[in-house]
C-alpha cells in the first residue's frame, strides 16, 4: 500500500512539474514577434535595435505608410524599445497601429491610435492608445521613425496594409 501511495505522489509531482513548465501556448507574445508575424519587415533583435538593424536592408523614414513598422527607442520605462505595424494612416499626425505587449503583458491590440506629438512633426515623439486608461498614453515615447517593407514604394497610395 505504501508503495502505491509513493507512486501516486511521484506521478502527481511529475505531472505538476510538467504543467508548471512554460510552453508556447502560455508564452507571452512580444512586440517583435508580433511585428514579424504581421508585416513584411523581418528583422531580428530587440525592438530598440530595429532601426539600426534595418539600415542597408530596408528603407527608413519619417512618413507613416500602411505596412511600415514604427520603431520606438529604448527608454527607462521600456528598455527594449517597441515596434508597431501601421495599419492605416489617418492624417499626417494620426495613424492606426497593430502591436503587442503595450497595454498589458502579451496583449495584442489592432487598429489603435498613435499620435505624433513631436514639435517638428517628424514622429520622433509619439503617444499611443493605452487600454487601462482608455486614452492615448500620458507620456510621449521617443521613436526613431518608420521602417518600410520592400513591398512598399515611395508612393504612399500603393502602400500594402498590414496582414492580420
Amino acid at each position: 500500500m505504501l508503495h502505491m501511495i509513493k507512486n501516486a505522489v511521484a506521478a502527481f509531482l511529475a505531472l505538476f512539474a510538467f504543467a508548471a513548465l512554460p510552453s508556447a501556448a502560455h508564452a507571452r507574445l512580444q512586440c517583435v514577434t508580433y511585428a514579424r508575424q504581421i508585416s513584411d519587415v523581418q528583422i531580428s533583435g530587440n525592438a530598440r535595435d530595429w532601426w539600426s538593424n534595418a539600415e542597408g536592408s530596408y528603407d527608413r523614414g519619417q512618413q507613416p505608410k500602411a505596412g511600415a513598422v514604427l520603431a520606438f527607442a529604448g527608454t527607462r520605462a521600456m528598455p527594449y524599445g517597441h515596434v508597431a505595424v501601421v495599419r492605416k494612416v489617418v492624417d499626417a499626425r494620426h495613424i492606426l497601429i497593430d502591436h503587442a505587449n503595450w497595454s498589458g503583458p502579451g496583449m495584442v491590440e489592432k487598429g489603435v491610435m498613435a499620435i505624433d506629438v513631436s514639435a517638428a512633426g517628424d514622429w520622433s515623439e509619439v503617444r499611443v492608445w493605452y487600454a487601462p486608461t482608455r486614452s492615448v498614453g500620458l507620456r510621449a515615447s521617443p521613436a526613431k521613425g518608420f521602417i518600410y517593407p520592400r513591398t512598399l514604394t515611395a508612393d504612399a497610395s500603393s502602400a500594402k496594409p498590414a496582414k492580420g
Side-chain angles (χ1 to χ4, degrees):
M1 180 70 149
L2 183 59
H3 180 57
M4 287 175 36
I5 293 173
K6 284 183 180 179
N7 286 345
V9 168
F12 174 77
L13 290 174
L15 180 62
F16 177 76
F18 178 75
L21 291 175
S23 70
H26 295 104
R28 291 188 172 149
L29 189 60
Q30 298 297 317
C31 64
V32 163
T33 303
Y34 185 67
R36 277 197 304 261
Q37 287 176 0
I38 67 165
S39 79
D40 290 329
V41 175
Q42 301 298 305
I43 297 176
S44 297
N46 291 319
R48 69 176 175 225
D49 301 322
W50 272 40
W51 183 257
S52 59
N53 291 350
E55 187 173 11
S57 296
Y58 295 93
D59 288 338
R60 302 176 302 168
Q62 305 313 122
Q63 296 301 312
K65 296 178 186 178
V69 172
L70 176 56
F72 291 82
T75 66
R76 190 179 339 175
M78 50 181 198
Y80 297 107
H82 187 69
V83 288
V85 179
V86 179
R87 174 178 281 255
K88 180 180 181 181
V89 177
V90 177
D91 60 35
R93 295 269 191 160
H94 298 84
I95 59 176
L96 300 181
I97 59 172
D98 297 344
H99 63 160
N101 208 35
W102 183 270
S103 289
M107 182 177 174
V108 171
E109 296 175 288
K110 296 181 179 184
V112 297
M113 183 65 66
I115 303 170
D116 174 18
V117 294
S118 66
D122 61 1
W123 288 90
S124 60
E125 289 189 280
V126 182
R127 289 179 55 201
V128 176
W129 174 261
Y130 186 62
T133 62
R134 296 182 181 193
S135 66
V136 291
L138 300 176
R139 73 170 191 276
S141 297
K144 302 281 189 169
F146 297 92
I147 302 168
Y148 308 114
R150 293 179 193 106
T151 54
L152 291 182
T153 66
D155 178 10
S157 66
S158 67
K160 177 179 151 187
K163 296 182 234 169

